[in-house]
Amino acid sequence: LQTQHVRSLSLNYDAILSSRLLANVQVGHTPGSLESLPMSGDLLTPGVIDLGTGIRSVNYTNHQGRTSNRDELLASTTYYLEALGTHAFKGGVDAQWIGDERVQGETFTYTFASIDAYNAAKSGASPFAYTNFQQTFGQMGISYDSRFYGFFVQDDWQMTPRIKLLYGLRYDLFDVPEMRAYSQNIYNGTEFVIDKNNWGPRVGFAYSPDFES
């Protein structure tokens, strides 16, 4: 059983700074949460393994939860220029900050040699009839922050009434999450290298033929 809640708040502002210059700013805040309950809906029933038949009746009692907050800023300016046609020069920045907190509940599993041993333990006649007991515990939660940055410039060039050329360049940067090493996994975020070579060119061309001639 999973429950998810997401809300989104945004604000948009447009400004005419001059006859040729426009500006736009957008800010947003999106909090969300996700909760996953055990498949059986029972937090107390342990998982069971029958060594005689190999049948597993595991109740995944690892209650999991996640909360996140995403803040975003979009800002751009557009400048219009008439030279060899009409140009609309645009530049801007896109920034996102995402904070995540995740938690996983403890799990425990009993292993019995047979169904009779399980029934004896369940009834209390032989409470220690299991052959093995496994439980996860310790620091079950983790939190980390992610940051995304994007910068772009472009020119929307109306060369003639029928020909338009669009060209630009974008740069993106993903700042690796900072987190506390909570396991021996070398990929826990502390060993990642930030990739700073994320350039993306943009080129577009449009032609409108004259069907009346």
Side-chain angles (χ1 to χ4, degrees):
L1 176 64
Q2 289 187 346
T3 57
Q4 184 174 11
H5 302 278
V6 178
R7 293 179 298 172
S8 181
L9 306 174
S10 61
L11 178 65
N12 183 72
Y13 176 74
D14 292 302
I16 302 177
L17 304 179
S18 71
S19 60
R20 296 180 181 271
L21 185 61
L22 304 178
N24 173 262
V25 177
Q26 302 178 46
V27 293
H29 175 65
T30 305
S33 64
L34 175 65
E35 185 177 24
S36 178
L37 297 177
M39 290 187 298
S40 69
D42 182 2
L43 291 171
L44 301 178
T45 302
V48 176
I49 302 175
D50 184 351
L51 294 181
T53 62
I55 298 177
R56 293 172 175 259
S57 58
V58 178
N59 174 39
Y60 292 99
T61 54
N62 55 338
H63 172 272
Q64 299 182 18
R66 173 189 176 188
T67 59
S68 64
N69 289 283
R70 184 180 70 181
D71 297 305
E72 185 172 8
L73 170 66
L74 300 172
S76 64
T77 58
T78 304
Y79 181 76
Y80 295 93
L81 176 66
E82 294 184 2
L84 300 177
T86 302
H87 296 265
F89 297 103
K90 187 174 183 179
V93 59
D94 176 5
Q96 296 185 48
W97 300 271
I98 302 177
D100 275 296
E101 292 185 3
R102 306 192 181 197
V103 63
Q104 176 175 323
E106 297 180 354
T107 62
F108 49 96
T109 301
Y110 292 87
T111 303
F112 295 91
S114 65
I115 294 296
D116 292 336
Y118 165 70
N119 290 330
K122 186 177 180 181
S123 65
S126 181
F128 302 104
Y130 55 88
T131 60
N132 186 43
F133 172 73
Q134 293 180 338
Q135 181 180 9
T136 60
F137 58 90
Q139 181 181 341
M140 310 303 292
I142 186 173
S143 62
Y144 54 90
D145 298 321
S146 304
R147 292 171 290 272
F148 300 84
Y149 303 101
F151 309 89
F152 71 93
V153 291
Q154 68 178 43
D155 178 20
D156 191 340
W157 182 10
Q158 188 73 51
M159 304 174 67
T160 70
R162 297 198 181 104
I163 300 176
K164 175 183 283 191
L165 177 64
L166 176 65
Y167 60 95
L169 184 65
R170 182 180 177 91
Y171 177 74
D172 289 285
L173 178 66
F174 169 49
D175 195 357
V176 176
E178 297 179 357
M179 67 178 80
R180 180 169 52 186
Y182 62 99
S183 70
Q184 296 302 317
N185 183 4
I186 63 173
Y187 303 109
N188 59 15
T190 59
E191 301 294 334
F192 288 152
V193 177
I194 299 177
D195 183 7
K196 299 181 180 180
N197 188 28
N198 300 308
W199 297 93
R202 182 182 185 184
V203 178
F205 178 80
Y207 174 71
S208 299
D210 185 2
F211 293 103
E212 297 180 357
S213 60

